[in-house]
Amino acid sequence: MKHPAFQWSRFCKYARWDATINMPFYQKMMLLLLGIMCMPVVFVYILLPSFVGFHLPQGNDATDLMTTITMVVASIIPFIAMGYTFHNMLTRRGRILELTIPASTLERFTWHVLMATVGVQLVVCLCVGVADLCHILLSTFVYRLENVYSYWWRIYGQLGMQLPAHEPGLALFGGLMLLNNMAFYMMVNAWKYKFNITYTLIFKIVLSMAAMFCLGCIVNHWIESDVASLEQLVKTMSDNAQNTVWLANLFLALLLAAQVYVAYRLYSKAQVITRRNP
């Protein structure tokens, strides 16, 4: 059932309905994220000492090592989560329930996007806190280490200090690059429900290779025909680096809006059975 407008009361009812119907899926995902975030603690305090003979530095914990492992793993989670934005459309029964619920397409789409972005990040943040608590307890009471630090604080508390506050354009550029990559996973998920993450990786590799090839051909032709104009363009961009960054941000913002719109259009045209999604 489709409604043209967005109503907050109907949105809340749909959110409650989705959380109830898909509770098993959300519970599995929360347990999986908890296990993934606790993996660095298990790896450092149990697996390495047991099988490799690794011992923690005398008087110090392994905060830096666990912080690095956690940040590497956590950097992959947003893309996987966006690949599961429309997880309930995987089966025919799920599509029937989704498409017959009395809520507008915009309300359903907004809820799924919020769950895949804000919801997943909140759960990850909570799971890192649980893993950090295990780290503090093990290092303090089992290994009797001194100078024990919180790697939750290393990741989240000092994150704002690492951002280039004096260069807001660069910070925005990095954020838009991340959001565009996430939106691409969501767009492919709206097009294909099964094996969509594999398709996304293939698409990204093919598109990257094609873009690099085209760019190389253009630059090579430019060098052969008029190298002076190319050098002048590079010099102009370097002299106006700040304006160049903001132009790139504008392009990325438009690209992000286009990807979200395409994902919304694909989601709004979803059917119970199609050739792509039997």
Side-chain angles (χ1 to χ4, degrees), residues 231-244:
E231 293 177 349
Q232 181 63 32
L233 176 63
V234 173
K235 184 178 183 301
T236 303
M237 293 175 62
S238 300
D239 295 340
N240 300 274
Q242 189 172 3
N243 294 333
T244 303

Side-chain angles (χ1 to χ4, degrees), residues 91-121:
T91 63
R92 294 184 185 181
R93 179 177 178 273
R95 282 170 238 160
I96 293 173
L97 290 173
E98 180 77 0
L99 298 176
T100 55
I101 195 71
S104 69
T105 304
L106 181 59
E107 291 159 359
R108 291 185 277 114
F109 181 83
T110 303
W111 168 252
H112 289 305
V113 172
L114 287 176
M115 286 295 291
T117 52
V118 180
V120 169
Q121 289 306 311

Side-chain angles (χ1 to χ4, degrees), residues 50 124 173 232:
S50 300
V124 169
F173 180 82
Q232 181 63 32

Side-chain angles (χ1 to χ4, degrees), residues 205-234:
I205 292 173
V206 172
L207 288 174
S208 299
M209 293 177 62
M212 292 299 294
F213 176 77
C214 294
L215 181 62
C217 291
I218 293 173
V219 172
N220 185 57
H221 176 72
W222 206 338
I223 291 174
E224 292 178 353
S225 60
D226 190 7
V227 67
S229 62
L230 178 61
E231 293 177 349
Q232 181 63 32
L233 176 63
V234 173

Side-chain angles (χ1 to χ4, degrees), residues 8-173:
W8 177 253
S9 59
R10 195 168 56 213
F11 173 79
C12 293
K13 290 179 181 179
Y14 174 77
R16 185 165 56 250
W17 174 87
D18 179 75
T20 302
I21 296 297
N22 296 303
M23 182 57 67
F25 173 83
Y26 293 132
Q27 289 176 341
K28 290 178 183 178
M29 290 300 101
M30 290 177 67
L31 290 175
L32 179 62
L33 289 175
L34 180 60
I36 291 174
M37 292 299 103
C38 289
M39 182 188 67
V41 178
V42 175
F43 180 75
V44 170
Y45 286 101
I46 299 177
L47 296 182
L48 282 181
S50 300
F51 297 99
V52 185
F54 172 81
H55 296 287
L56 296 171
Q58 185 65 32
N60 294 290
D61 64 354
T63 304
D64 293 334
L65 176 60
M66 287 185 293
T67 300
T68 302
I69 297 174
T70 302
M71 293 186 69
V72 170
V73 174
S75 64
I76 304 174
I77 291 177
F79 307 110
I80 304 299
M82 296 306 289
Y84 281 93
T85 304
F86 311 110
H87 59 88
N88 57 330
M89 307 282 278
L90 190 62
T91 63
R92 294 184 185 181
R93 179 177 178 273
R95 282 170 238 160
I96 293 173
L97 290 173
E98 180 77 0
L99 298 176
T100 55
I101 195 71
S104 69
T105 304
L106 181 59
E107 291 159 359
R108 291 185 277 114
F109 181 83
T110 303
W111 168 252
H112 289 305
V113 172
L114 287 176
M115 286 295 291
T117 52
V118 180
V120 169
Q121 289 306 311
L122 289 177
V123 173
V124 169
C125 183
L126 178 62
C127 291
V128 172
V130 173
D132 192 34
L133 179 61
C134 296
H135 149 64
I136 293 174
L137 293 176
L138 283 171
S139 58
T140 303
F141 297 103
V142 176
Y143 290 90
R144 304 291 182 179
L145 298 176
E146 301 175 356
N147 302 322
V148 177
Y149 301 98
S150 167
Y151 75 91
W152 188 95
W153 172 252
R154 291 277 179 91
I155 296 173
Y156 294 103
Q158 298 182 359
L159 185 62
M161 303 177 186
Q162 298 175 0
L163 295 175
H166 59 287
E167 291 290 345
L170 290 177
L172 181 61
F173 180 82

